[in-house]
């Protein structure tokens, strides 16, 4: 699955609150491949190598949990992704349908 996701980092490893200066929203081309959610700067190209930056932004979603971000109301269609190392990301999808589809696909892994 792939599509555009806008990311906000809410908690870093071990659940520590992401400090100010790193809490902004950033738009990515997201690609879910196997157990990894790639958050890429540029649009997905099947044959292109994954860049260094894109690897840094990749999220391991094995044992991660995606839910609707019910407590976050500033933006619509936002899901909350909690990873196995207790990072928390808010991810805004393009529509309600897309958000539900990402939640379903992430939790299927
Ligand atoms: C953050 C940025 C986010 C904002 C966040 C700020 O600043 O303005 O958009 O979240 O507020 O800290 P920075 O880019 O300097 O990290 P919202 O869009 O959700 O308001 P927060 O600290 O209350 O999460």
């Amino acid at each position: 699955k792939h599509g555009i996701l806008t990311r906000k980092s809410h908690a870093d490893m071990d659940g520590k609150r992401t400090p100010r200066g790193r809490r902004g929203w950033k738009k990515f081309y997201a690609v879910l491949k196997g157990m990894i959610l790639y958050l890429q700067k540029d649009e997905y190209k099947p044959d292109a190598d994954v860049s260094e930056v894109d690897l840094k932004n990749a999220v391991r979603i094995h044992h991660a949990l995606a839910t609707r971000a019910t407590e976050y109301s500033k933006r619509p269609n936002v899901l909350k992704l909690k990873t196995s190392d207790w990072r928390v990301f808010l991810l805004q999808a393009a529509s309600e349908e897309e958000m539900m589809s990402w939640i379903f696909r992430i939790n299927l892994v």
Side-chain angles (χ1 to χ4, degrees):
K1 172 166 178 68
H2 52 102
I4 290 175
L5 284 178
T6 307
R7 180 203 68 189
K8 176 184 177 180
S9 211
H10 180 71
D12 296 342
M13 241 186 267
D14 299 325
K16 288 197 194 78
R17 185 187 160 90
T18 300
R20 279 168 78 185
R22 285 204 296 109
R23 300 182 59 84
W25 289 92
K26 205 173 163 194
K27 182 177 157 184
F28 292 98
Y29 295 91
V31 184
L32 183 58
K33 232 196 249 169
M35 295 194 207
I36 299 179
L37 177 66
Y38 292 95
L39 295 172
Q40 308 186 160
K41 209 161 63 62
D42 297 308
E43 205 155 355
Y44 173 61
K45 294 187 214 82
D47 299 323
D49 284 333
V50 183
S51 76
E52 199 98 353
V53 192
D54 289 344
L55 275 179
K56 198 181 59 105
N57 285 322
V59 182
R60 215 183 294 274
I61 55 165
H62 190 49
H63 291 158
L65 181 69
T67 54
R68 188 193 286 265
T70 45
E71 67 285 2
Y72 188 84
S73 55
K74 288 185 191 172
R75 290 177 177 226
N77 314 321
V78 176
L79 68 94
K80 184 164 86 174
L81 177 66
K82 207 174 231 181
T83 67
S84 59
D85 57 3
W86 301 104
R87 289 188 287 168
V88 179
F89 297 104
L90 298 180
L91 298 170
Q92 182 183 27
S95 65
E96 161 89 15
E97 242 182 314
E98 270 292 289
M99 179 197 68
M100 293 308 292
S101 159
W102 279 111
I103 290 175
F104 179 75
R105 292 294 300 272
I106 289 169
N107 289 337
L108 210 59
V109 172

